[in-house]
Amino acid sequence: MYCLVDARDSVNAGYAASFDREGVSAFGLSPEEFTGWLQTASRGDLDAVQGFLLGDFEDRARCAGIIRKHSRAPIIALADQRSLEQTLVLFDAGIDDVLPKPVHVREILARSEAIWRRVNGGVLPVAPGAEAPARPERLRVFFDGRDPEVDGEPLPLPRRERHILEYLVRNRGRRLTKAQVFNVIYGVYSNGVEESVVEGHVSKLRKKLSQRLGYDPIKAKRYMGYVYVG
């Protein structure tokens, strides 16, 4: 899930729609709304945010500093106009990347993943206390809108299933509840969608992975959630 911050409702709505077309949930807030949300959001809601996008608004450099106190997710600024001076100010404030508009959502996803790899040393994550996989990695996940590959061959997946797989792989060895998966895929403010839809997505995803890999890399336990073991 991505959080968009811009004073213009049309900008927030436009990017939210673009993320949705890629199967990624997003929600937009004005700078004033965002400050209040950030200070009152639950740990679960903050953990569901995979990236923050800051449009052109006053005090966004200070806003980035506040974000970093609450989250380690990538912070990307969107610039209406190129300005070396402003770019340097934003980097100095802790923003991870500055992108001139227009920019495609898939580029945002790719840059967000690049930031994540840089911060985490470029290795496939293993949750604390979990063992690294004993078998060679046959599944490759890209995190940028491309379908995953198994043994070098594409595995076409619907957008929601692909995004669930990316989230599970990103959190390898960590058990994720149905609510956590739902919040990342559909967003914490989604309406009209029941959490039970996650069960259907995961069931179809596990079947496809089992058919291609010959085993199920996702372990599920009723009432406890899902864990990617590789």
Side-chain angles (χ1 to χ4, degrees):
M1 179 178 68
Y2 280 75
C3 178
L4 321 169
V5 186
D6 198 290
R8 297 159 293 185
D9 291 340
S10 59
V11 173
N12 286 333
Y15 273 102
S18 296
F19 273 102
D20 185 65
R21 285 193 291 271
E22 297 296 328
V24 179
S25 64
F27 68 99
L29 298 171
S30 70
E32 295 77 15
E33 292 171 330
F34 176 71
T35 301
W37 176 83
L38 192 62
Q39 294 173 346
T40 59
S42 68
R43 186 71 259 166
D45 287 355
L46 289 171
D47 287 345
V49 178
Q50 298 164 280
F52 294 90
L53 300 181
L54 307 183
D56 268 327
F57 61 88
E58 191 175 355
D59 286 340
R60 64 173 167 174
R62 183 179 64 85
C63 183
I66 298 174
I67 292 173
R68 194 49 75 218
K69 294 179 181 178
H70 296 271
S71 173
R72 296 182 60 209
I75 306 173
I76 298 176
L78 303 176
D80 289 339
Q81 297 180 341
R82 291 180 180 270
S83 168
L84 175 60
E85 180 179 353
Q86 182 64 15
T87 297
L88 296 177
V89 169
L90 294 173
F91 279 133
D92 187 57
I95 284 178
D96 297 299
D97 204 352
V98 179
L99 300 179
K101 297 194 310 187
V103 56
H104 197 282
V105 163
R106 291 187 64 178
E107 181 176 350
I108 294 173
L109 294 173
R111 288 180 177 272
S112 180
E113 170 60 17
I115 293 167
W116 186 93
R117 288 199 308 268
R118 186 165 66 244
V119 170
N120 292 275
V123 297
L124 194 63
V126 178
E131 296 183 1
R135 57 174 68 89
E137 291 293 344
R138 298 172 56 199
L139 174 66
R140 185 180 182 189
V141 179
F142 296 100
F143 303 96
D144 61 3
R146 286 180 288 171
D147 282 322
E149 294 180 354
V150 176
D151 298 330
E153 295 295 327
L155 174 63
L157 293 175
R159 294 171 301 172
R160 304 295 185 194
E161 291 177 26
R162 186 189 71 232
H163 197 36
I164 289 174
L165 176 62
E166 292 169 353
Y167 182 54
L168 292 175
V169 170
R170 172 66 57 77
N171 291 276
R172 175 201 290 274
R174 176 186 173 193
R175 188 169 297 281
L176 302 170
T177 66
K178 183 169 63 177
Q180 286 176 301
V181 176
F182 178 87
N183 287 344
V184 167
I185 305 306
Y186 287 98
V188 294
Y189 299 114
S190 57
N191 295 315
V193 182
E194 298 292 334
E195 284 187 8
S196 58
V197 72
V198 170
E199 297 175 2
H201 288 319
V202 175
S203 177
K204 294 175 183 177
L205 173 62
R206 294 175 68 192
K207 182 177 181 180
K208 293 171 185 175
L209 290 172
S210 296
Q211 290 174 340
R212 289 288 294 272
L213 290 168
Y215 63 90
D216 187 355
I218 299 173
K219 302 303 180 185
K221 194 167 184 179
R222 190 171 179 83
Y223 304 121
M224 295 186 66
Y226 311 98
V227 57
Y228 178 81
V229 296

